[in-house]
Structure formats: structure tokens, C-alpha cells
Amino acid sequence: MEMRDEALHEKFKLKEGQYTIIENEHEGFDMKKYQILFEKAVESIMVIQNQEIKIANPKSQELTGYNTQDLISMPFLDLFRPEDSLRVSIFHRKRFMGEKENTKFQVRLVKKNKEVRWVEFDGIKILWNDQPAILNLMIDITDRKKAIDALKQSEEKYRLLTEYASDVIWALNLDKGRFTYISPGIMQQRGFTVEEAMNQSLEESLTPKSLIKFNEEIRKNLDEFGADPKNPKNYISEIQQFCKNGSIIWIEVSMKYRVNADGEIEIVGVSRDINERKKADEEALILSYFDQLTGLHNRSFYEQELVRLNTEKDCPMSLILVQVNGLKNTNDAHGFTMGDKLLVTIAKIIKNVSRSVDSVTRISGDEFVLLLPQTNADVAELIVKRMQDAIDKNKMNEIFLSVSFGWATKNHPEEHLEKMFIEAQDMLNPENK
């Protein structure tokens, strides 16, 4: 992507909707040149700030099917398939935090006419109206990807013949207990030469947990292979391996069993580095348990905590239900931004007052729940009082902070959690009894 060179990274920043040149002390730059680059670029260029599209070049309109007014009126993440939008959000967050990854990635963009196109995605952190933003760059790779996918399919039966695949192709003789072939891709994947990797045993190449898992899978797979050796199955496994520098990476192994010319059983496999994918999966899992507005845990996490804490050692367990009063009135009178600020303020107060062992979650728009393990009703009431005092001491401009509390305690694991929640609700809203 040519637009990511020095012209964008070092020569100018974006300010007040226009390119503002940062003059180099040794050379000057023509403003019109960058305007032409923006307008005539062969890739989509957008400025993204707070997930809003501030400006988009003509190529962006062609790529998405939306006109300029449509684009600046819609959230940026709405352009992507839901399962890809999280990856885009994580990427932008990393850029804002200053992480400079050179890795580009591919996501699916949904055009205005609902057509799905694959795009290659990149971006850099800039200033827009003196505030941080992302200069987002996309190029349509749908046709290229189709061609690559078609080529991969046609060449699948020849994969074991190539010596230059980025994946590692290998053969493990089970009768001899050693590798008989490893492709040169091992150097890129784990840092070992072919000779070094060939001399390694499974114990030396796999982490202890992965070794146990892999050996168990081999025993199971051999039973299936022995039952029908003429129709071998393909097996997929995820394991962790050591690199030469001492690090550990996740590897996806695709393998089949066969009998070689000497009548010995061997595994022919392909190993692929999935370390970045595993990291992304972990990040996605973590994000799925957090409320994006307040940073507290969300209802999904709360439901899991109910099960985890439903033990004898955590009893007595108390539950505190917190309801923010007047949220709708605040939204109507002052706008949703002020309403969000109200929720964030209350959430911070609750979190600061709670203990490290307490679980604090936002379960709905204006409701928060605290789960307090090993806490009786008297202690729960003291915590409620501390929260109320802290809220009374805080002011937010012209907005009055008001919350209602309800709490309940269960003393034995067999007591129903739902009953405890209902008791807290009844205290919160006595008129509903």
C-alpha cells in the first residue's frame, strides 16, 4: 500500500478536515500533491475517530457502495461482517496504544448492496482536529483471494512435494520413533535448521502438556487407522512447541497415518503457526466478558460467576443490586452522552468501594450487581452504606447522582440463587411485592 510511506507517516498530519504539512527542515512539500494522492489513490482511505468516519476518499465510495454522506453518518464497524468487526476494533485499539505491527490482515467488508468483499486492512495513528485518530487503509483483494484459493485447491495434492511452503511438512516414523522428513519451513516457524529439528525427539519439541495430549491422540488414532488402513482419516490437533530462542508457539497440526514401503506406520503432517490466531481468540474471549461502556464485567460473566461462587466455602454469599435512578430523564434532557457519563461515574464509584474479592457487573442498562463471597447480611449492609456515602459525595455538573440498593444473603449452597436476586429486587422496588 503506497499511501503508508513517509508521505503519510512523517510528512503531514490531518487537522481541521484538511492536510496540514509538517515542514521538514531540509525540504518543502506541495500541499496539492497530497490532496491528489488522497483523491486518486487506488485504495480506500478513511479517517476514523471514535469509530466514526470523518472523511473518506472517492475510492472508499467505490469500494463500499456508499456515498460520502452515508459513510460519515454510519459507525465504521458497521462496514464489516460482525465476526470481523471485533478484529478491526482490536487493531484500532492497538494502534492507539502505540503498537506498531507490520502485519496486515484480511477482513470481510459488506457493501451497501449486501455484497461481501474481502479487503486487506491496515492503518496508522494520526491527528485529526488535534485529537488522535486512525488513518485507515483498505484495498479490495477479492479477486486475488479467489485466484489464490483456486490455486491452493488445484495444488493441494502436490503440497507434500514443495520445499518452500511456509507451513512445515513432516513425516514421523512411529516404529522407529523419529522424524524421517521435515521441510525447510521449520527455520521460519521455529528457528531450527532441518538437521536440528530432525534430531529432536517429540519430548524435546513439545511442551509437557502437549506431549501428553499428542501421545494420547496418537494411541486413539492408531486404533482407528488399524481398523481401516485403506481409508485413513485426517486429524487436526493444536499443540505448543518450543522455538530455538526459548519461546513457545501454538501450532495447528493436520496429519494422516499411512504404511510406508517398508511396512512401517508413519504420520505425514503439516504444521501451521497459529500463535497470532490464538492470541486474537484469547483477546476476543476476554472482551466478550466486559461491558464496553463502563469496563465492568457484563451479564455473561455474571452468570458464570453465579455458578463458580455457588460453593460451601463461599457461603454466606451476599448479592447487592444497584439501580441508577433517572437515567432515562438524563438521556432525554441532556442526551445519551451525558447518560453514558452518568453510568460510567456510578460504575467507578461502585468499583472503588467494592473489595478485591467482590465481583462487580453491569447486567442491564441501568442495573449493576455485586456478588460478595464469604459475606453475611450485616457486612453487605455496611458495604451498601459505604457506596451510598461515596455517591452522595460526588457531583457531576448539573446531574444529581441517585441510586437505589437492594441486597440479600444466602447461607447455604443449596439455597436458590434466583431467590436471592428476587429478594434484592423486592427490597429495591418494595411496591412490586
Side-chain angles (χ1 to χ4, degrees), residues 58-79:
K59 194 66 179 181
S60 300
Q61 301 171 41
E62 178 184 330
L63 176 63
T64 66
Y66 293 99
N67 60 36
T68 301
Q69 187 59 43
D70 288 335
L71 288 172
I72 65 176
S73 301
M74 65 188 299
F76 176 63
L77 294 181
D78 285 359
L79 287 173

Side-chain angles (χ1 to χ4, degrees), residues 143-160:
D143 294 335
R144 186 179 79 191
K145 185 174 178 60
K146 286 180 179 178
I148 292 174
D149 290 345
L151 181 62
K152 285 182 178 179
Q153 291 177 11
S154 67
E155 294 181 347
E156 184 66 23
K157 60 183 177 180
Y158 303 113
R159 287 190 66 196
L160 296 181

Side-chain angles (χ1 to χ4, degrees), residues 143-374:
D143 294 335
R144 186 179 79 191
K145 185 174 178 60
K146 286 180 179 178
I148 292 174
D149 290 345
L151 181 62
K152 285 182 178 179
Q153 291 177 11
S154 67
E155 294 181 347
E156 184 66 23
K157 60 183 177 180
Y158 303 113
R159 287 190 66 196
L160 296 181
L161 301 178
T162 180
E163 291 289 318
Y164 303 100
S166 58
D167 294 344
V168 177
I169 302 166
W170 49 268
L172 175 65
N173 188 304
L174 295 180
D175 290 288
K176 295 178 179 178
R178 64 181 180 86
F179 290 99
T180 57
Y181 175 77
I182 296 179
S183 69
I186 192 68
M187 173 64 77
Q188 179 181 348
Q189 190 174 95
R190 295 174 54 217
F192 293 102
T193 64
V194 170
E195 183 180 1
E196 291 170 334
M198 290 274 288
N199 289 329
Q200 284 185 325
S201 64
L202 283 178
E203 289 81 0
E204 293 171 315
S205 67
L206 298 177
T207 63
K209 287 185 178 180
S210 289
L211 178 63
I212 294 172
K213 174 187 176 185
F214 196 60
N215 282 332
E216 289 177 350
E217 290 176 350
I218 288 177
R219 285 192 290 269
K220 178 182 177 182
N221 299 343
L222 278 175
D223 289 340
E224 293 185 357
F225 176 70
D228 190 8
K230 293 184 178 181
N231 296 292
K233 296 180 180 179
N234 185 67
Y235 299 96
I236 304 291
S237 182
E238 293 183 358
I239 57 176
Q240 287 184 291
Q241 288 192 282
F242 294 108
C243 295
K244 190 171 184 178
N245 63 8
S247 63
I248 296 174
I249 61 172
W250 277 100
I251 297 292
E252 182 183 77
V253 178
S254 175
M255 52 192 174
K256 280 190 176 183
Y257 293 72
R258 71 180 185 185
V259 178
N260 65 17
D262 297 324
E264 300 166 329
I265 298 177
E266 62 182 11
I267 304 174
V268 178
V270 179
S271 296
R272 173 169 297 176
D273 185 341
I274 58 170
N275 213 48
E276 293 303 315
R277 189 183 82 191
K278 294 292 285 189
K279 288 181 181 179
D281 289 345
E282 290 174 2
E283 288 180 347
L285 180 62
I286 292 172
L287 287 175
S288 70
Y289 289 126
F290 283 89
D291 174 52
Q292 292 186 355
L293 175 64
T294 64
L296 298 178
H297 288 109
N298 59 19
R299 191 179 191 95
S300 297
F301 181 86
Y302 163 72
E303 291 172 351
Q304 291 198 12
E305 282 293 274
L306 284 177
V307 177
R308 185 181 72 85
L309 296 175
N310 192 33
T311 63
E312 186 172 354
K313 73 178 182 65
D314 288 311
C315 288
M317 182 171 74
S318 294
L319 178 149
I320 299 175
L321 184 60
V322 184
Q323 185 175 67
V324 180
N325 299 324
L327 177 61
K328 183 178 185 304
N329 292 337
T330 299
N331 287 335
D332 292 342
H334 304 280
F336 286 97
T337 299
M338 187 62 72
D340 288 347
K341 186 176 180 181
L342 172 62
L343 289 170
V344 170
T345 301
I346 297 295
K348 286 181 178 179
I349 294 172
I350 295 173
K351 185 64 176 176
N352 290 339
V353 172
S354 65
R355 305 166 303 179
S356 59
V357 296
D358 299 335
S359 174
V360 185
T361 61
R362 181 188 179 200
I363 61 169
S364 65
D366 60 356
E367 285 188 325
F368 301 88
V369 168
L370 289 83
L371 294 175
L372 290 67
Q374 301 178 13

Side-chain angles (χ1 to χ4, degrees), residues 29-45:
F29 297 92
D30 183 357
M31 172 64 188
K32 293 182 179 179
K33 179 174 66 174
Y34 300 107
Q35 187 69 28
I36 292 174
L37 283 173
F38 179 78
E39 295 176 352
K40 302 298 182 181
V42 297
E43 57 190 341
S44 162
I45 305 174

Side-chain angles (χ1 to χ4, degrees), residues 101-117:
E101 297 180 329
N102 294 322
T103 305
K104 294 173 285 188
F105 63 96
Q106 299 173 3
V107 292
R108 286 160 293 186
L109 179 143
V110 182
K111 299 185 67 170
K112 185 176 182 180
N113 63 3
K114 306 305 180 184
E115 178 187 1
V116 176
R117 305 291 292 182

